[in-house]
């Protein structure tokens, strides 16, 4: 039916034109057999007799193609005169190979013109000449008398007919279920091309299957590509590959839905979507969207390269355009992606457009207006100023979208898309830093930077790190910077034309900011200067604004450019335009160049140019800057704050220790104490600090719960801090024993140590202990502390018990009884003791073993575990703050000396343990 339809439409056109007295037609086609069939049908319908001339034989029989005469001269110029004697009524004179026969053949053209004149004069409406050729050539002399008759490519049903007849002829089996898909795959091909692809698959596949379909599809791609004007694009991209552009994606999703339910939609009075024009910045996802749309619509994507349409011959560009659009229609339903649309209309917007552009434009507009096939057009363009205004008017396209540089949310999404799972490995803070660094970057810039980072990581044999990505982003010069002027111009234009933004924008769009930056109202300009998305070039422009508030807003903007900050920091302080408030803002800006800041601090004379407190709030300050600030600052508060910072690097800690080492002032001592108390202090410095000769410093150090063994040994050797050491629950076994044996002469202490070794006889051990009952109350205090140590070693327990053997009522024994580190066998011994108090205290031991508990129960003593308050070992930050305060008021020396301070709740729970 469709073959007939196509033919009929040609027949109708022939009929209409013939009746109107048109003497000549031109059918541009390489499908000779199909043209013959269509002409036969037309001639039959119109009751015309067909005559044919071709380049090979001159006049031939139209049906058999046999030469009509044995003429020696077959050129058209010499064959045409034969018609002089013919009756031309009801004749259709077909001239094949028309281009070759007429190009550069003035005689043939002249004689053809005579023939056309004769038809016009004497046989109007009953005779016509039909020129047929693969490509177009209409000589100017006959242009007015020739009408171009486009021959559409075979339609769906025509294709089905052709496939069925081919299958019959060639005994090719085509499963009925495959036929519609086969026809769809063949759409867009000429009859001859369909025959070719079918013949090709016939041999390996006598019965058509999926594999054959795939092959046909591939062949079709090659044929479409060969046409030079269209390309079938293979797509894998989906809407989730696009970061941002939410308005555009949403719009496309809705159109795709209509397209999928087109019949239903048309029934409900919804017009079929025509297409969309996406204009905007390069590298911001226009092409990506076109590809993702194919997935969204579930349709093939044909790309039309406008550049390839433009031919050098008259009419060639239009012909190519026509061919491309016809091909797209025949492949429909499909998406036709017209890339770089502006190329077709160069200069038209300014009224200087060439004739070709105007004609192309006209043709395109009419096609857009009248197209009936299910072809959804996605046109993309960078330079919107090159497009004729009519094209941007609603009605041509369903919508015109403007794609700008991505906003923060979109950049984050784009980074996430390109970094894939690596994005999820980054902390929220790192993600935010990278997103901010990419400001002014297009999606393509971001993709490039990520690609670079991946490449470096691969070559270094390292996993991709945040630092690597950051480095690559910093090294990328964004497109916006390269195309500064052009980009600005486009943005203004997009805003002026009120194109629909593809991105969902909260607040001001970039284009709006560009406009507002020129507003006479300083409040509006300030709004732009404060905006986090304000582009760099605009910030720089506003940095010289006449209004101080606007200028200050630029330097307060977290995205203020390094260039601006550098120039502000390096400005001569005596220059007339030097502004202290801007200088101070630049000093504390997180993006201030560190080297410049360090050099400024180096020159700093302590006057209030520098905002120390604000600077310190910037956690990113480099070590060099912090150290310079520390050395130069006269403020005790600033120096204390630096010592307390949780971001101090290990190197800087070392430098600060060196700086503070010889300090004599109580304030400096406080700073040192705060540095020691800083939880980030590297334990490798403990040993060095332990050798300091200031009591307050050692006091602070001994308090550290992670005090290294090496440092403990240094302090022990000093001999001045036994009691303070004993109070630290984390002292090691060796220090515990050393503290216990300090009252003994060195040789006896060594003998005790030897006796404690496995396998030694304890007799010797007890002999020594008993021969040296301790009497010194100073040591008693040390033992008392140790007896409460929750990490007391078994050997230390043994020595303590040996010391106290004769006095089970002593505080030391009672403390040992409730000490959680009291070994099992000692628990049992205590449980078997005759001392009621000792057993009662044992009953409160949080680590009371079953055997001891049972033994106590037999004696009617129930366990009263109070585990919660004996195990705490953490030194609160408050201890150090109190020390610091005390140091400033000159009373640090008392802190560890006076028991009253301990009982005042300043010390950790391990200290406040049971002191009955
Ligand atoms: P041009 O006008 O120069 O052709 P374009 O706007 O068509 O540019 P695309 O080709 O779509 O830009 O983008 C180039 C590449 O940049 C894409 O392949 C994609 O990897 C990346 N890209 C751009 N925008 C986005 C985005 N919004 N989301 C994810 N990736 C993007």
């Amino acid at each position: 039916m469709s073959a007939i339809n196509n033919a009929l439409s040609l027949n109708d056109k022939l009929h209409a034109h013939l009746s109107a007295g048109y003497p000549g037609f031109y059918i541009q086609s390489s499908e000779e057999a199909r043209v013959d069939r269509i002409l036969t049908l037309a001639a039959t319908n119109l009751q015309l007799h067909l005559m044919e001339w071709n380049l090979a034989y001159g006049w031939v029989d139209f049906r058999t193609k046999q030469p009509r005469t044995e003429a020696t001269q077959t050129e058209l110029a010499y064959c045409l005169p034969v018609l002089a004697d013919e009756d031309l009524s009801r004749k259709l004179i077909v001239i094949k190979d028309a281009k070759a026969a007429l190009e550069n053949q003035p005689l043939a053209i002249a004689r053809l013109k005579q023939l056309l004149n004769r038809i016009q004069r004497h046989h109007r409406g009953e005779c016509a000449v039909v020129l047929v050729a693969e490509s177009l050539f209409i000589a100017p002399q006959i242009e007015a008398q020739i009408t171009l008759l486009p021959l559409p490519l075979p339609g769906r049903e025509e294709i089905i007919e052709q496939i069925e007849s081919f299958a019959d002829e060639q005994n090719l089996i085509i499963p009925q279920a495959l036929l519609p898909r086969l026809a769809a795959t063949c759409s867009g091909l000429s009859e001859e091309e369909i025959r070719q692809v079918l013949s090709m698959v016939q041999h390996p596949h006598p019965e058509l299957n999926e594999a054959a379909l795939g092959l046909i599809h591939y062949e079709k791609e090659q044929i479409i590509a060969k046409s030079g004007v269209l390309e079938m694009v293979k797509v894998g991209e989906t809407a989730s590959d696009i970061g941002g552009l939410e308005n555009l994606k949403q719009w496309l999703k809705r159109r795709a839905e209509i397209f999928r339910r087109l019949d239903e939609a048309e029934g409900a009075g919804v017009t079929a979507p025509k297409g969309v024009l996406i204009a905007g910045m390069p590298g911001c996802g226009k092409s990506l969207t076109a590809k993702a749309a194919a997935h969204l619509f579930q349709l093939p994507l044909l790309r039309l390269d406008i550049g390839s349409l433009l031919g050098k011959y008259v009419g060639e560009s239009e012909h190519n355009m026509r061919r491309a659009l016809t091909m797209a229609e025949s492949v429909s339903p499909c998406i036709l992606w017209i890339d770089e649309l502006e190329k077709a209309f160069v200069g038209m917007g300014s009224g200087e457009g060439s004739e070709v552009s105007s004609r192309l434009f006209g043709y395109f507009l009419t096609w857009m207006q009248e197209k009936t096939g299910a072809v959804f057009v996605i046109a993309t363009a960078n330079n919107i100023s090159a497009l004729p205004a009519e094209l941007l008017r609603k009605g041509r396209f369903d919508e015109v979208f403007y794609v700008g540089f991505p906003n923060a949310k979109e950049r984050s999404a784009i980074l996430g898309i390109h970094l894939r799972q690596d994005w999820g490995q980054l902390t929220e803070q790192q993600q935010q830093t990278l997103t901010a660094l990419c400001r002014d970057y297009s999606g393509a810039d971001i993709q490039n930077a990520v690609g670079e980072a991946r490449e470096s990581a691969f070559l270094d044999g390292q996993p991709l790190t945040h630092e690597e990505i950051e480095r690559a982003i910093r090294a990328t010069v964004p497109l916006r910077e390269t195309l500064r002027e052009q980009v600005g111009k486009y943005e203004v234009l997009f805003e002026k034309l009120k194109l629909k933004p593809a991105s969902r924008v909260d607040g001001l769009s970039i284009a709006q900011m560009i406009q507002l930056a020129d507003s006479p109202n300083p409040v509006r300009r300030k709004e732009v200067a404060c905006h986090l998305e304000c582009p760099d070039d605009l910030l720089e422009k506003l940095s010289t604004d006449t209004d101080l508030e606007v200028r200050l807003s630029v330097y307060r903007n977290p995205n203020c450019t390094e260039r601006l900050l550098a120039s502000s920091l390096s400005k001569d302080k005596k220059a007339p335009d030097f502004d202290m408030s801007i200088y101070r803002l630049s000093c504390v800006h997180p993006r201030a160049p560190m080297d410049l800041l360090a050099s400024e601090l180096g020159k700093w004379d302590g006057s209030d140019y520098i905002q120390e407190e604000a600077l310190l709030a910037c956690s990113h300050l480099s070590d060099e800057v912090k150290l310079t600030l520390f050395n130069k600052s006269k403020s005790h508060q600033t120096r204390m704050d630096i010592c307390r910072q949780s971001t101090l690097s290990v190197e800087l800690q070392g430098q600060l220790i060196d700086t503070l080492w010889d300090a004599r002032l109580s304030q400096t001592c406080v700073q040192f104490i705060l540095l020691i108390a800083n939880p980030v202090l590297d334990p490798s410095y403990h040993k060095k600090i332990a050798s300091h000769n200031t009591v307050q410093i050692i006091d602070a150090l001994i308090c550290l719960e992670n005090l290294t063994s090496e440092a403990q040994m240094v302090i022990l050797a000093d001999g001045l801090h036994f009691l303070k050491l004993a109070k630290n629950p984390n002292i090691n076994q060796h220090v515990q024993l050393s503290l216990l044996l300090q009252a003994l002469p060195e040789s006896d202490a060594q003998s005790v140590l030897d006796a404690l070794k496995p396998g030694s006889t304890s007799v010797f051990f007890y002999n020594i202990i008993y021969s040296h009952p301790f009497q010194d109350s100073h040591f008693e205090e040390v033992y008392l502390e140790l007896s409460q140590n929750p990490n007391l070693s078994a050997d230390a327990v043994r020595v303590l018990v040996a010391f106290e053997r004769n006095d089970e009522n002593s505080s030391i024994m009672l403390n040992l009884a409730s000490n959680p580190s009291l070994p099992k066998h000692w628990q049992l011994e205590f449980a078997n003791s005759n001392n009621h108090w000792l057993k009662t205290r044992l009953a409160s031991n949080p680590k009371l073993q079953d055997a001891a508990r049972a033994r106590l129960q037999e004696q009617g003593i129930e366990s009263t575990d109070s585990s919660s308050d004996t195990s705490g070992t953490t030194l609160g930050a408050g201890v150090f703050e109190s020390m610091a305060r005390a140091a400033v008021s000159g009373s640090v020396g008392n802190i560890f000396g006076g028991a009253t301070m301990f009982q005042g709740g300043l010390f950790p729970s391990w200290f406040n343990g049971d002191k009955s």
Side-chain angles (χ1 to χ4, degrees):
M1 257 318 277
S2 186
I4 309 282
N5 273 343
N6 266 340
L8 277 184
S9 67
L10 190 70
N11 179 20
D12 283 347
K13 282 183 187 145
L14 261 176
H15 189 81
H17 285 87
L18 253 171
S19 313
Y22 285 57
F25 302 96
Y26 200 112
I27 300 177
Q28 184 188 355
S29 169
S30 57
E31 297 182 89
E32 214 174 304
R34 184 158 169 253
V35 170
D36 276 4
R37 239 184 10 259
I38 291 171
L39 285 176
T40 306
L41 191 66
T44 312
N45 287 336
L46 297 168
Q47 295 177 344
L48 301 174
H49 176 70
L50 281 161
M51 293 180 71
E52 176 176 335
W53 177 93
N54 67 34
L55 198 59
Y57 298 108
W59 292 111
V60 295
D61 183 281
F62 183 82
R63 202 173 50 79
T64 63
K65 308 296 176 201
Q66 290 296 320
R68 295 244 307 239
T69 56
E70 293 206 349
T72 46
Q73 291 276 32
T74 56
E75 287 103 324
L76 186 61
Y78 299 102
C79 288
L80 284 175
V82 172
L83 298 175
D85 300 330
E86 288 265 352
D87 176 9
L88 294 184
S89 51
R90 310 237 64 80
K91 290 261 165 53
L92 200 54
I93 303 158
V94 181
I95 295 177
K96 298 273 181 73
D97 315 308
K99 184 174 184 234
L102 293 170
E103 204 169 26
N104 302 321
Q105 299 293 331
L107 185 60
I109 294 169
R111 286 184 172 165
L112 179 59
K113 183 162 180 64
Q114 289 308 315
L115 175 64
L116 292 166
N117 288 346
R118 185 178 153 205
I119 294 170
Q120 269 180 313
R121 260 184 251 124
H122 306 293
H123 302 282
R124 189 179 271 272
E126 56 169 22
C127 175
V129 174
V130 180
L131 302 170
V132 181
E134 201 172 330
S135 41
L136 191 70
F137 173 77
I138 303 176
Q141 298 91 318
I142 54 170
E143 212 177 78
Q145 291 157 304
I146 301 290
T147 303
L148 204 55
L149 287 184
L151 178 64
L153 287 166
R156 186 172 180 279
E157 297 191 13
E158 200 176 348
I159 293 172
I160 290 183
E161 268 170 37
Q162 191 190 347
I163 293 172
E164 282 175 340
S165 80
F166 181 89
D168 277 352
E169 267 169 43
Q170 307 289 323
N171 291 329
L172 177 67
I173 303 163
I174 302 177
Q176 204 54 34
L178 221 59
L179 194 58
R181 286 172 58 203
L182 182 58
T185 310
C186 289
S187 66
L189 301 183
S190 71
E191 196 176 271
E192 189 46 40
E193 286 161 345
I194 294 173
R195 171 166 278 279
Q196 275 171 22
V197 292
L198 290 176
S199 312
M200 237 197 58
V201 294
Q202 176 193 7
H203 295 299
H205 306 280
E207 176 170 345
L208 278 190
N209 54 19
E210 289 289 338
L213 263 189
L215 193 57
I216 293 175
H217 198 80
Y218 173 77
E219 280 302 311
K220 177 176 164 178
E221 279 174 21
Q222 308 312 308
I223 289 167
I224 290 181
K226 246 188 342 201
S227 76
V229 290
L230 278 187
E231 174 200 355
M232 220 161 176
V233 185
K234 276 210 179 73
V235 290
E237 290 83 351
T238 68
S240 57
D241 293 319
I242 307 174
L245 310 187
E246 295 302 332
N247 286 344
L248 177 55
K249 279 195 284 193
Q250 181 65 20
W251 187 90
L252 282 171
K253 277 181 192 155
R254 291 170 68 92
R255 302 294 129 162
E257 168 85 20
I258 297 178
F259 228 77
R260 266 197 301 276
R261 298 162 53 199
L262 202 51
D263 290 345
E264 209 185 316
E266 282 177 339
V270 176
T271 45
K274 282 195 219 312
V276 60
L277 170 57
I278 310 173
M281 298 306 162
C284 288
K286 299 185 297 294
S287 310
L288 181 63
T289 306
K291 291 178 195 161
H295 182 266
L296 216 53
F297 281 67
Q298 292 287 302
L299 292 178
L301 179 68
L302 293 180
R303 180 172 170 274
L304 170 61
D305 177 7
I306 289 279
S308 71
L309 289 186
L310 306 173
K312 56 180 188 285
Y313 296 112
V314 177
E316 200 177 342
S317 304
E318 294 99 298
H319 168 67
N320 286 340
M321 169 82 97
R322 189 175 305 119
R323 191 148 147 250
L325 298 181
T326 312
M327 202 177 255
E329 283 203 316
S330 61
V331 177
S332 70
C334 67
I335 293 186
L336 176 65
W337 166 26
I338 308 180
D339 200 10
E340 299 186 285
L341 180 68
E342 70 269 36
K343 273 196 188 163
F345 310 117
V346 183
M348 275 205 62
S350 58
E352 299 155 6
S354 68
E355 229 176 280
V356 176
S357 295
S358 305
R359 281 210 301 270
L360 271 187
F361 179 54
Y363 186 82
F364 182 69
L365 279 194
T366 318
W367 179 80
M368 277 296 281
Q369 209 73 41
E370 295 176 357
K371 80 185 170 66
T372 48
V375 178
F376 185 78
V377 178
I378 298 186
T380 54
N382 284 338
N383 182 1
I384 205 154
S385 60
L387 292 178
E390 297 98 296
L391 204 62
L392 303 173
R393 216 174 287 143
K394 263 232 160 128
R396 308 296 188 203
F397 289 99
D398 300 322
E399 194 58 84
V400 183
F401 278 97
Y402 150 58
V403 176
F405 281 93
N407 58 37
K409 209 163 151 196
E410 293 181 313
R411 292 197 302 276
S412 167
I414 298 173
L415 277 164
I417 286 168
H418 291 289
L419 281 166
R420 299 191 288 271
Q421 63 270 31
D422 294 315
W423 183 243
Q425 306 291 319
L426 302 177
T427 64
E428 204 172 306
Q429 178 61 39
Q430 289 171 330
Q431 293 182 349
Q432 278 173 7
T433 312
L434 294 181
T435 306
L437 270 182
C438 294
R439 204 175 53 102
D440 279 4
Y441 282 49
S442 68
D445 292 327
I446 296 176
Q447 184 208 17
N448 283 344
V450 171
E452 289 285 330
R454 272 196 203 292
E455 209 175 275
S456 303
F458 169 75
L459 291 176
D460 295 346
Q462 300 291 333
L464 186 60
T465 60
H466 166 249
E467 290 73 24
E468 192 69 72
I469 306 165
E470 189 172 326
R471 196 200 50 71
I473 292 177
R474 285 189 193 278
T476 305
V477 179
L479 206 71
R480 192 184 167 86
E481 201 162 308
T482 338
L483 303 174
R484 226 173 224 228
E485 279 192 15
Q486 204 176 334
V487 164
K489 247 178 20 209
Y490 287 174
E491 271 165 346
V492 172
L493 190 64
F494 291 136
E495 180 60 21
K496 213 163 82 190
L497 290 169
K498 294 267 168 282
L499 304 187
K500 194 167 186 148
S503 307
R504 213 166 275 158
V505 193
D506 303 328
L508 295 179
S509 71
I510 303 240
Q512 284 167 333
M513 283 192 248
I514 291 177
Q515 284 209 321
L516 286 182
D518 287 328
S519 162
N521 180 347
V523 177
R524 306 312 306 271
R525 300 203 300 277
K526 186 177 163 192
E527 195 183 342
V528 178
C530 292
H531 203 289
L532 285 180
E533 291 293 305
C534 181
D536 287 356
D537 42 345
L538 223 49
L539 279 174
E540 290 189 9
K541 175 176 163 177
L542 292 171
S543 73
T544 57
D545 198 277
T546 48
D547 189 287
L548 176 63
E549 264 308 305
V550 175
R551 295 202 301 276
L552 288 175
S553 302
V554 169
Y555 290 89
R556 281 194 196 108
N557 190 319
N559 291 320
C560 182
T561 68
E562 266 191 53
R563 192 163 29 192
L564 280 179
L565 295 167
S567 99
S568 157
L569 281 177
S570 51
K571 205 165 213 157
D572 179 2
K573 314 279 177 306
K574 295 196 178 73
D577 63 337
F578 174 75
D579 188 315
M580 172 74 85
S581 44
I582 287 181
Y583 177 80
R584 296 183 74 177
L585 282 176
S586 307
C587 280
V588 301
H589 198 286
R591 293 181 83 183
M594 280 301 148
D595 46 355
L596 199 53
L597 197 52
S599 119
E600 280 301 294
L601 281 171
K603 290 185 258 166
W604 183 40
D605 59 3
S607 55
D608 71 346
Y609 275 36
I610 310 279
Q611 259 181 300
E612 297 178 42
E613 323 78 60
L615 256 186
L616 273 177
C618 305
S619 55
H620 64 281
L621 291 184
S622 68
D623 284 0
E624 191 188 356
V625 173
K626 278 186 199 162
L627 190 63
T628 319
L629 190 62
F630 187 84
N631 287 331
K632 290 249 172 175
S633 176
K634 295 188 180 108
S635 153
H636 176 49
Q637 188 59 45
T638 297
R639 291 170 65 108
M640 285 205 304
D641 286 348
I642 291 180
C643 290
R644 253 193 297 238
Q645 272 192 344
S646 61
T647 50
L648 288 186
S649 71
V650 175
E651 292 73 33
L652 185 56
Q653 293 168 17
Q655 288 163 331
L656 291 175
I657 291 170
D658 290 344
T659 310
L660 293 166
W661 193 260
D662 294 326
R664 299 268 172 269
L665 292 173
S666 62
Q667 284 195 338
T668 334
C669 185
V670 170
Q671 291 155 19
F672 206 161
I673 290 173
L674 288 175
L675 179 63
I676 293 168
N678 190 333
V680 298
L681 179 75
D682 197 80
S684 64
Y685 294 122
H686 289 181
K687 188 179 173 194
K688 176 177 176 169
I689 300 171
S691 67
H692 203 277
N693 55 12
T694 310
V695 176
Q696 293 93 324
I697 301 296
I698 301 300
D699 284 349
L701 187 69
I702 295 180
C703 270
L704 296 183
E705 62 175 283
N706 64 341
L707 185 66
T708 62
S709 288
E710 286 171 312
Q712 293 173 25
M713 300 305 288
V714 173
I715 299 171
L716 183 73
D718 194 23
L720 295 172
H721 309 281
F722 292 147
L723 183 57
K724 290 165 203 163
L725 264 183
K727 282 175 182 167
N728 187 328
N730 297 311
I731 50 170
N732 65 36
Q733 184 180 358
H734 182 81
V735 175
Q736 288 177 11
L737 281 175
S738 301
L739 287 173
L740 283 172
L741 302 177
Q742 61 187 295
L744 304 181
E746 206 170 307
S747 56
D748 286 352
Q750 187 55 51
S751 302
V752 172
L753 287 176
D754 290 344
L756 287 169
K757 283 184 187 155
S760 298
T761 58
S762 31
V763 178
F764 185 54
F765 166 73
Y766 286 113
N767 280 344
I768 296 170
I769 300 278
Y770 286 129
S771 63
H772 290 91
F774 76 90
Q775 290 133 0
D776 188 331
S777 65
H778 170 69
F779 292 128
E780 186 174 1
E781 242 185 291
V782 171
Y783 302 151
L784 198 62
E785 288 302 336
L786 283 173
S787 64
Q788 297 175 90
N789 185 324
N791 300 315
L792 198 62
S793 73
D795 284 343
V797 171
R798 200 171 156 203
V799 174
L800 272 175
V801 173
F803 276 142
E804 295 292 290
R805 198 74 188 170
N806 295 328
D807 184 5
E808 288 188 345
N809 263 338
S810 77
S811 300
I812 292 175
M813 284 299 274
L814 296 179
N815 281 346
L816 280 178
S818 58
N819 190 322
S821 55
L822 185 71
K824 195 174 165 182
H825 67 278
W826 282 115
Q827 289 190 11
L828 209 53
E829 277 213 30
F830 282 26
N832 286 326
S833 143
N834 292 327
N835 187 314
H836 178 72
W837 294 117
L838 194 66
K839 287 186 283 195
T840 312
R841 286 295 292 270
L842 180 66
S844 70
N845 191 313
K847 292 273 167 64
L848 187 64
Q849 302 293 311
D850 289 345
R853 187 192 315 277
R855 185 68 196 98
L856 288 174
Q857 275 169 352
E858 282 168 17
Q859 301 170 61
I861 302 170
E862 286 301 325
S863 91
T864 55
D865 171 16
S866 55
S867 56
S868 55
D869 64 353
T870 51
S871 56
T873 56
T874 313
L875 291 177
V879 175
F880 293 99
E881 294 297 334
S882 308
M883 286 175 65
R885 275 198 302 277
V888 172
S889 64
S891 61
V892 168
N894 297 330
I895 290 183
F896 285 95
T900 46
M901 292 290 282
F902 307 155
Q903 282 154 359
L906 287 171
F907 272 77
S909 51
W910 58 264
F911 184 83
N912 291 327
D914 194 345
K915 290 179 84 81
S916 59

